[in-house]
Structure formats: C-alpha cells, structure tokens
Amino acid sequence: MTDNNNTHATTWICCLALAAAILAGGCASSGANTFGSGTGVTVTDPSRLTQSGFLSDYARLAPVTWTEGIQCWRQANLDAKKFDKVLISRMTVTLKPDQQKGIDPTDLKTLTDYFHNAMVKALEPQMPVVEKAGPGVLGIRIALTNLVPTEVSRSLTGTLVPYGFVAEAGSGVATGRPAGSTPYLGEAGMEMQFIDGVSGTVVAECRDTQIGRKYAADLNSGTAGAAQTWANGYVNSFQSWAYAKNAFDKWSVLTARRLAELRGTAPAQ
C-alpha cells in the first residue's frame, strides 16, 4: 500500500511540475525550442571536483572562460584544426570503493553506455567518430570519478511535508552546496583527457563534478526557459540517475561546442 501511495504521489508531483512549465511557457512566443534546454538543472560544485589519478597534472587545471565551473588545461600551441576525426575510448570508472560497491553493475553499464552515446551524438555532426587512432584523429578518454544517485524517497518526503518547499529551496546555500540543491540529490563527476592520435601526446585535460538542483530556474532564458529548467529539476529529483544523465548530456554538448570553436567551425545545432 505504501509503495502505491508513493507512486501516485510521485506521478501527481511530476504532472504538477510539467503543468507549471506549460502554463509559464504559454506566455512566451512560440519557436523551435519554446521551453529552452533546461540544462541548468545541474551545476558545478567546485568543492566536489575529483583527483583520481586519471589525469596527468591536476595542478595546471584552472577554471575556463567558456563555461562556468569546469576546470581545464590545453597546450598553448594546440592546433585543433589538424583533427578531423575523433576516437572515444571505452569509458573508465574510478569511483571510490564504497561508492562503486553501492551501485548496481547493470546501472553502471547503462550510465557509461548513455554517456558514450551522448558524446557520439554531440560530436558526430561535425566530425566522424572512428574506432582507431591515427593521423587527424583526436582521442578522448573519459573517467567517471563520482556517481551518487538521488535518494528518491527523501525527495518525495521533502516535497510532501508542509512548507517543505521553503526549507528545501534554501538548504543548498545553508549546507555549502549551490543554490537550489539539497543534500539527497544526485551527483556525477568526470575527468576527461584529449590525446593526439599519432604521437599519443596529451593535448588537453578537464574535470568537473555536477550536482542536481531540485529548485532551479534559468532566469536568463526568459519565462519559458526558466519554467523548463524548474520543471526538469523538479521531475529529475524523483528519478535515481536523471541528474547524472543530464550532466552527461551537458558535458557532451560543451565538448562539441568547444572543439568546434577551437577548430574554427560552426557547432552543430
């Protein structure tokens, strides 16, 4: 009986969130992407950046100007235009022992497959994804270094408690997390390395840890975009791995866009 009640409550909450987005979006002008991307439902938490040993030199990583929070380094004389193909290596998992023990291996495979496919989808429109290193090939190596599922039962409880919204909405800053986050929401961390396909030289490295935000609105994207971000964050808080997948999508798009900028080509839309 309890499980059924929780299921009904979750469904009701999700419907309410989506309805709010639709109502808010109705006030905006129509377009190809009326509600916006909603990518603000995860955000970098600098205090949770990892140092797993996967990258070659963490001391040279620094925040970048082209996106908020992510730390990167690249060769000063890097000529990205010489790369016209990309090789995405099999993903590595370097989670802490206690973290990896608590994740179902089936879930882990699903997540790594999802991330790999997201990278292919983002990069393939601008350059072929190949299976072997060689001339013109940029190798990408990725390690998942932090994975924490959302505690769905706590999200549901916090939502149903009277005035719980007010307490939860302000809990992020109070606990040292970004605004809109709560302690039970999911996290995902990665370290990424870029390799010259001929010499094997490391030409760039990045790291980031994204955490979920249940109460978030992208106020810079207008009414519809803010509503979509809020709705996505709210709905994601009732799914164990939704925030991780959102982070994978974000990293994939950012990688493709930045690579296009360095190569002097137009990023895929």
Side-chain angles (χ1 to χ4, degrees), residues 15-39:
C15 290
L16 180 62
L18 291 173
I22 292 171
L23 288 174
C27 299
S29 59
S30 60
N33 191 16
T34 303
F35 293 137
S37 65
T39 55

Side-chain angles (χ1 to χ4, degrees), residues 34 38 42 48 50 75 111 115 124 156 245 268:
T34 303
T42 66
R48 286 172 168 75
T50 59
Q75 286 183 338
L111 290 170
F115 195 0
E124 213 165 28
L156 182 61
K245 291 180 177 179

Side-chain angles (χ1 to χ4, degrees), residues 150-223:
T150 295
E151 296 181 52
V152 176
S153 60
R154 289 184 63 187
S155 183
L156 182 61
T157 300
T159 300
L160 295 179
V161 170
Y163 305 107
F165 169 85
V166 177
E168 285 195 323
S171 67
V173 176
T175 57
R177 298 167 69 96
S181 180
T182 67
Y184 56 75
L185 296 184
E187 305 174 17
M190 68 83 191
E191 297 177 13
M192 190 178 298
Q193 193 172 67
F194 300 84
I195 311 289
D196 186 303
V198 174
S199 67
T201 303
V202 176
V203 298
E205 295 183 316
C206 293
R207 68 173 175 175
D208 188 30
T209 293
Q210 295 275 319
I211 67 172
R213 292 201 293 172
K214 184 174 182 178
Y215 305 106
D218 183 2
L219 300 179
N220 293 324
S221 61
T223 302

Side-chain angles (χ1 to χ4, degrees), residues 219-242:
L219 300 179
N220 293 324
S221 61
T223 302
Q228 179 65 52
T229 300
W230 182 86
N232 285 358
Y234 203 66
V235 172
N236 281 4
S237 71
F238 304 103
Q239 303 171 59
S240 296
W241 295 112

